[in-house]
Amino acid sequence: MSYTFLQHYWWFIVSLLGALLVFLLFVQGANSVARSLGYTDEGRRLVYNSTGRKWEFTFTTLVTFGGAFFASFPLFYSTSFGGAYWLWMIILFTFVLQAVSYEFQNKIGNFLGPKTFQFFLTLNGIVGPLLLGGAVATFFEGSNFLIEKNNLVDLDSMVNGQWSMVIISRWANASHGLDAVLNPWVLVLGFAVVFLARVLGILYVMNNVNDEDIRSRGSVRLIGAAVPFLVLFVAYLVHLLLKDGFAYTADGTIVIEPYKYFNNFIEMWYLLIVLLIGVVLVLWGIGMEIVNGKSSNGKSSNGKCLGIWPAGIGTVLVVLCLLLCAGWNGTAYYPSTADLQSSLTIQNSCSSEFTLRTMFYVSLLVPFVLAYIVYAWRAIDSKKLDKDEIKTDHAY
């Protein structure tokens, strides 16, 4: 295991966590359309109880994603999470609102009323995917930051008898990440993720809730979410393949390369194949439920709506390939629009070889964790939700 292998391995792990996070945003997507999908108070409670079983998975994956970045690529963590803190603080704040809203929306003594907390769930369902999608877009579009590694030579300096603070990375303006939303292509990918989350959320609720009204409306709402998602995603993918990218040479110099991401997919043809498979799976998951909804009132022939699984697997494959394209094959995964040479790569921003090697052995436990998650998921979903469940003490 060379140092280069470990760098590529940990970028794969981080990318996989990011892909799983995008899939798990179905919780946010379902919450954002709960009022139209549930239609009645009872129907909305069914939707919230369906997503309420899974919101911990999304939040935990978000935290793990950040933790993996901190351990394997600490310079990115300090630059993005420390510099663009307004962007990340808004994301985390909406997720905290989500957790609070689930617990208190129908509690006795809730003086704010259920609709207030349901509004918070809708807010998280829109803002969370939008900003997370925008954060992913900055891997291709760049961010406004500066890296000053020369400051490390000042570690031994003292000011007025105290150790001076060494700042390696800083944001180049006072927006601290909010300037990303001024880039129209960042918004295009951000809203693509919003509608993708809605597609996955509708598919999940149709699969998880045993209610004919929700299933029949779900197939109609699915079209309304799938069309803008496909338009936005295709537009961004074409833009990505045609735009100039950020590469680095053998000595670490960052250069602009025309059609860099297109070249990446040609040179890493296996990623292109997996990407196309993922796109087909997403379209298959959407199409099968739209067709089934028209032919059997929202149910498939065996009484279950199974589109979430091909669409979910396809989502993971597509996002994984996009993130790998951003960091592999000599590509700067976090370009700087303020100073080209400050751009981050998997070589100049990673942890030491000892750290990456040690974490490699720890990561061998991941399959066991995933197996437990699958087991817990199946146990939670062993019985489909119905209207009787929302009358229990454990209902949200």
Side-chain angles (χ1 to χ4, degrees):
M1 293 187 297
S2 66
Y3 197 17
T4 300
F5 166 80
L6 291 170
Q7 291 165 349
H8 285 75
Y9 171 81
W10 276 103
W11 183 253
F12 172 82
I13 295 297
V14 168
S15 299
L16 180 59
L17 288 171
L20 291 172
L21 175 61
V22 173
F23 162 63
L24 291 170
L25 288 177
F26 70 78
V27 173
Q28 280 64 38
N31 288 341
S32 69
V33 294
R35 299 189 69 84
S36 61
L37 194 61
Y39 192 69
T40 64
D41 290 339
E42 192 176 51
R44 284 192 289 273
R45 288 202 66 185
L46 275 174
V47 175
Y48 292 135
N49 274 269
S50 176
T51 59
R53 295 177 169 192
K54 298 296 188 300
W55 74 266
E56 294 97 336
F57 288 97
T58 310
F59 194 88
T60 302
T61 304
L62 174 62
V63 174
T64 306
F65 174 72
F69 250 128
F70 171 75
S72 53
F73 301 99
L75 189 52
F76 169 82
Y77 187 91
S78 65
T79 302
S80 181
F81 290 84
Y85 55 79
W86 281 121
L87 179 70
W88 291 107
M89 285 298 292
I90 293 174
I91 292 173
L92 290 175
F93 179 70
T94 62
F95 272 86
V96 171
L97 280 180
Q98 176 202 51
V100 172
S101 299
Y102 274 122
E103 296 299 329
F104 289 97
Q105 60 175 316
N106 289 299
K107 291 292 185 182
I108 297 176
N110 169 23
F111 65 93
L112 293 177
K115 290 186 178 180
T116 300
F117 290 105
Q118 290 172 6
F119 168 77
F120 291 154
L121 290 173
T122 303
L123 181 68
N124 171 251
I126 298 174
V127 176
L130 175 63
L131 295 185
L132 284 172
V136 171
T138 60
F139 287 169
F140 304 102
E141 306 300 326
S143 293
N144 202 6
F145 63 90
L146 296 170
I147 301 294
E148 300 173 355
K149 288 189 175 182
N150 290 334
N151 285 352
L152 287 173
V153 301
D154 296 330
L155 280 172
D156 296 329
S157 63
M158 298 184 68
V159 177
N160 297 326
Q162 296 181 345
W163 297 110
S164 61
M165 180 181 296
V166 178
I167 300 177
I168 303 175
S169 59
R170 61 184 176 86
W171 217 249
N173 57 41
S175 68
H176 293 290
L178 294 181
D179 53 320
V181 299
L182 299 179
N183 185 329
W185 287 112
V186 169
L187 291 178
V188 168
L189 186 58
F191 278 109
V193 174
V194 170
F195 286 106
L196 172 61
R198 289 189 172 189
V199 167
L200 296 174
I202 293 170
L203 291 174
Y204 175 76
V205 171
M206 290 174 66
N207 172 265
N208 186 245
V209 175
N210 185 21
D211 185 86
E212 292 305 317
D213 291 336
I214 288 179
R215 286 182 171 180
S216 60
R217 278 194 298 273
S219 60
V220 178
R221 300 298 185 274
L222 185 58
I223 299 175
V227 171
F229 158 66
L230 292 174
V231 171
L232 291 168
F233 176 74
V234 170
Y236 189 81
L237 187 60
V238 171
H239 160 73
L240 181 66
L241 296 177
L242 297 180
K243 76 184 296 290
D244 294 340
F246 303 84
Y248 61 94
T249 60
D251 62 356
T253 303
I254 310 298
V255 296
I256 299 294
E257 179 180 323
Y259 308 109
K260 172 60 177 171
Y261 303 107
F262 175 81
N263 295 334
N264 279 358
F265 279 119
I266 297 300
E267 295 171 12
M268 297 186 291
W269 52 267
Y270 44 90
L271 290 186
L272 178 60
I273 293 175
V274 175
L275 176 70
L276 294 176
I277 292 173
V279 170
V280 171
L281 286 174
V282 172
L283 295 176
W284 180 24
I286 295 172
M288 67 185 294
E289 294 306 342
I290 293 177
V291 172
N292 286 335
K294 291 181 178 180
S295 62
S296 55
N297 194 29
K299 294 194 301 180
S300 59
S301 59
N302 61 359
K304 296 181 180 179
C305 301
L306 303 177
I308 180 60
W309 302 120
I313 294 172
T315 297
V316 172
L317 295 179
V318 169
V319 177
L320 175 63
C321 291
L322 289 177
L323 292 178
L324 291 179
C325 179
W328 281 2
N329 199 40
T331 310
Y333 70 84
Y334 200 48
S336 171
T337 56
D339 173 32
L340 186 62
Q341 299 311 313
S342 292
S343 302
L344 300 184
T345 70
I346 61 174
Q347 290 185 350
N348 67 15
S349 64
C350 66
S351 296
S352 67
E353 183 176 0
F354 173 79
T355 300
L356 295 182
R357 187 180 300 273
T358 302
M359 292 194 305
F360 170 83
Y361 295 113
V362 175
S363 71
L364 297 179
L365 298 175
V366 170
F368 298 97
V369 177
L370 291 177
Y372 173 76
I373 291 174
V374 172
Y375 170 78
W377 188 297
R378 289 177 61 88
I380 293 172
D381 286 351
S382 60
K383 179 180 179 298
K384 301 301 180 184
L385 278 174
D386 53 33
K387 294 179 180 179
D388 291 334
E389 173 131 0
I390 62 176
K391 301 175 184 178
T392 67
D393 295 335
H394 300 290
Y396 289 105

